[in-house]
Amino acid sequence: MADATIAPEDLRLLLGPRTRRGIRAWLHDGIAAAVRDGRLSAGVRLPSSRAVAAGFGVARGPVSEALELLTAEGYLITRERSGSSVAPSAASVRPARREATVRPPPSPGTPDPALFPWSSWLRAMRSGSARLGPDDLGYGDPRGLPALRERVAELLRLTRGAVVEPDQVVIISGVAQGLTLLATVLRARGAGPIAVEDPGSPGARDSLCGIGATVVGVPTDELGIDIDRLADEAGAVIVTPAHQYPLGVPLDPDRRRRLLDWAAGRLVIEDDYDADLRYDGRPIGVLQAMAPDRVVLLGSVSKVLAPGMRLGWLIPPPHLHAELVAAKRNADLGTSVFDQAALAEFLGSGEYQRQVKRLRQVYGERRASLVAQLRERLAPDSFDPDPGGYQAGLHLLVPLPDATAEERALAFLADRGIAAQGYRSCFFGTGDPGIILGIARPIAPTLVSALAAAVHGPTNPRVVRTE
Ligand SMILES: Cc1ncc(COP(=O)(O)O)c(C=O)c1O
């Protein structure tokens, strides 16, 4: 269509039906969109404002205004006597490729949204916001609101045995932000590679690699990370000691001690992502309590409330505190004060702990029922869905006999919109087959039966029951 003139009736078709926003906005938005998505290409001449007005049966004034605005914005060039045409540079306004959505794959470790405590959270938002004053509305302390730091310190001391004062707490937007802040600070210090558990969380590994950190995997088994395989040159290690992701085991007590010895002059990053949720006893206390000078503690509300809230905390050792606060300030100048005020209120009123108690009950039952169903419906020789029997968190690792079984299971679950992760994706190199299933949302027994059939193939006699 380059260098052609578009007739008023063709322009009319291109613009589609009139909107309620007036002639000027209809013409402006429609032509701009057509230029952006390539329906009007560079060089195409537009009819004069007089011709458009006459052809469309509208006043000339708003047509001229729309064309002038499009010219000012760079979509059109207008020359005296030759009228307006699509600017050659306007093609660059067009995105290279239109993405349908920017949604990450669903994570199996997500809480059941049906259990979100809407009414108490809305109450907390209202009363928390009402406590904010004019000074809170500016760029505040990047560590976060004092009221929230106090509540978080109290919670961590009480429930996790952490050694922490409110001044040390830095409010962040989830463990994920904590990891990238730490990686940034460690790189600035020239601290060496960051060691991570292998198998471990692919999300943590990918976000560190995404910001250019050097990440090395450390073999991890049913006792947790293998301290003997921790490289000397690593400057820090990220561990999930209360509930290893994805194996679901706590770090062995002897390895806990040896890890802290290794950490002299280095840093242990304790990802305490789901530790509140233990179903068969008290949650294991944090490593940070044993060595607050070499462990940084990270946690969030993602598992107890909702990952979409993007609220968490970071408790650094004193020698890293100032650098991490500066990194947080550089990253985003602090977390939303309204969200922080609501969480302070939610913690202070005891609602958070009530929610934890409720979830322990509900998720504990759902987990036990899923384990029982998996045991019953899949042959016992192929896997044990709960080898350590440590009942905690939102996910369950289900080892499978081979890669084909993993692929079949993932395809089956994806078709039904059930979040699951392939176990092999948790390894640096070649990994064992299996799937990681969420326990938070109930999974119907018929679905577990169908999953078993899908995993083993329809004719395999190892499927012991299918309904
Ligand atoms: C092991 C582990 N660490 C960290 C995170 C991220 O947590 P947050 O939502 O607090 O950023 C997740 C999320 O599922 C996780 O599984």
Side-chain angles (χ1 to χ4, degrees):
M1 224 190 245
D3 294 316
T5 301
I6 184 166
E9 53 276 21
D10 291 337
L11 183 61
R12 181 81 175 74
L13 283 174
L14 204 76
L15 293 172
R18 286 257 291 272
T19 60
R20 291 200 183 151
R21 295 180 51 237
I23 304 291
R24 194 182 77 139
W26 172 56
L27 279 168
H28 170 273
D29 297 355
I31 293 173
V35 172
R36 277 198 304 267
D37 64 23
R39 283 173 296 147
L40 277 177
S41 47
V44 170
R45 277 201 299 275
L46 291 160
S48 67
S49 55
R50 186 193 303 273
V52 172
F56 289 13
V58 298
R60 193 173 164 196
V63 179
S64 305
E65 282 172 21
L67 296 180
E68 275 164 27
L69 188 58
L70 287 160
T71 304
E73 288 169 346
Y75 288 99
L76 303 180
I77 43 174
T78 302
R79 290 200 186 90
E80 241 181 285
R81 280 200 286 274
S82 50
S84 305
S85 56
V86 177
S89 56
S92 64
V93 180
R94 194 184 337 159
R97 192 162 65 92
R98 191 181 290 198
E99 298 289 343
T101 48
V102 191
R103 252 188 186 295
S107 157
T110 307
D112 182 354
L115 299 177
F116 185 79
W118 282 105
S119 52
S120 50
W121 179 256
L122 291 174
R123 264 198 315 277
M125 281 180 82
R126 175 174 273 274
S127 44
S129 302
R131 284 183 204 272
L132 293 172
D135 289 349
D136 296 315
L137 299 184
Y139 297 110
D141 185 336
R143 290 176 302 170
L145 287 180
L148 179 57
R149 287 189 278 116
E150 255 171 56
R151 295 302 185 198
V152 166
E154 197 174 75
L155 176 81
L156 295 176
R157 278 198 303 263
L158 224 79
T159 62
R160 313 287 302 113
V163 176
V164 50
E165 293 302 324
D167 270 358
Q168 287 170 266
V169 177
V170 184
I171 301 301
I172 51 176
S173 55
V175 170
Q177 183 178 46
L179 293 178
T180 53
L181 295 180
L182 281 155
T184 309
V185 165
L186 288 167
R187 189 165 45 190
R189 286 190 161 209
I194 300 178
V196 297
E197 296 165 326
D198 182 17
S201 159
R205 184 189 61 208
D206 292 348
S207 69
L208 292 173
C209 292
I211 61 158
T214 308
V215 179
V216 291
V218 184
T220 298
D221 56 29
E222 62 287 351
L223 298 179
I225 193 164
D226 185 348
I227 314 302
D228 294 327
R229 313 280 290 275
L230 251 173
D232 276 345
E233 70 270 19
V237 61
I238 303 173
V239 284
T240 47
H243 188 226
Q244 205 277 335
Y245 192 91
L247 290 165
V249 292
L251 181 59
D252 165 74
D254 182 52
R255 290 192 182 181
R256 279 167 78 97
R257 280 188 292 274
R258 293 179 51 221
L259 177 63
L260 296 176
D261 291 343
W262 174 89
R266 302 189 181 96
L267 189 68
V268 172
I269 299 169
E270 179 169 18
D271 177 357
D272 202 36
Y273 66 106
D274 71 355
D276 279 326
L277 300 172
R278 180 159 184 205
Y279 314 120
D280 58 350
R282 265 177 72 81
I284 285 174
V286 288
L287 261 184
Q288 186 265 0
M290 295 168 77
D293 58 328
R294 50 186 88 160
V295 179
V296 52
L297 177 62
L298 288 170
S300 79
V301 302
S302 292
K303 307 294 174 184
V304 169
L305 293 174
M309 294 170 72
R310 308 313 304 140
L311 272 173
W313 43 83
L314 179 153
I315 319 297
H319 69 281
L320 277 181
H321 191 262
E323 281 160 89
L324 279 160
V325 174
K328 170 66 181 167
R329 185 176 49 236
N330 294 337
D332 58 13
L333 302 174
T335 299
S336 154
V337 284
F338 289 98
D339 295 346
Q340 292 189 64
L343 183 58
E345 197 69 22
F346 199 76
L347 287 164
S349 62
E351 290 294 348
Y352 187 88
Q353 284 299 78
R354 272 191 281 285
Q355 176 71 358
V356 170
K357 203 167 155 202
R358 180 174 170 226
L359 294 182
R360 279 190 192 145
Q361 172 76 30
V362 178
Y363 289 159
E365 286 168 12
R366 288 183 184 173
R367 186 185 189 281
S369 145
L370 182 61
V371 169
Q373 290 173 51
L374 288 165
R375 282 213 173 107
E376 190 182 347
R377 285 167 171 79
L378 284 159
D381 65 318
S382 64
F383 80 104
D384 180 356
D386 196 18
Y390 180 71
Q391 295 166 34
L394 297 184
H395 73 274
L396 194 64
L397 169 63
V398 184
L400 289 173
D402 50 50
T404 313
E406 179 183 303
E407 279 157 20
R408 283 196 196 129
L410 289 176
F412 173 88
L413 293 164
D415 282 350
R416 282 149 191 85
I418 297 173
Q421 201 169 41
Y423 184 31
R424 288 181 302 157
S425 73
C426 297
F427 289 83
F428 269 66
T430 315
D432 297 332
I435 49 167
I436 298 144
L437 271 181
I439 60 97
R441 294 185 212 210
I443 299 185
T446 46
L447 206 128
V448 178
S449 300
L451 171 66
V455 164
H456 290 313
T459 55
N460 193 316
R462 282 186 299 172
V463 180
V464 291
R465 229 176 84 180
T466 53
E467 56 184 71

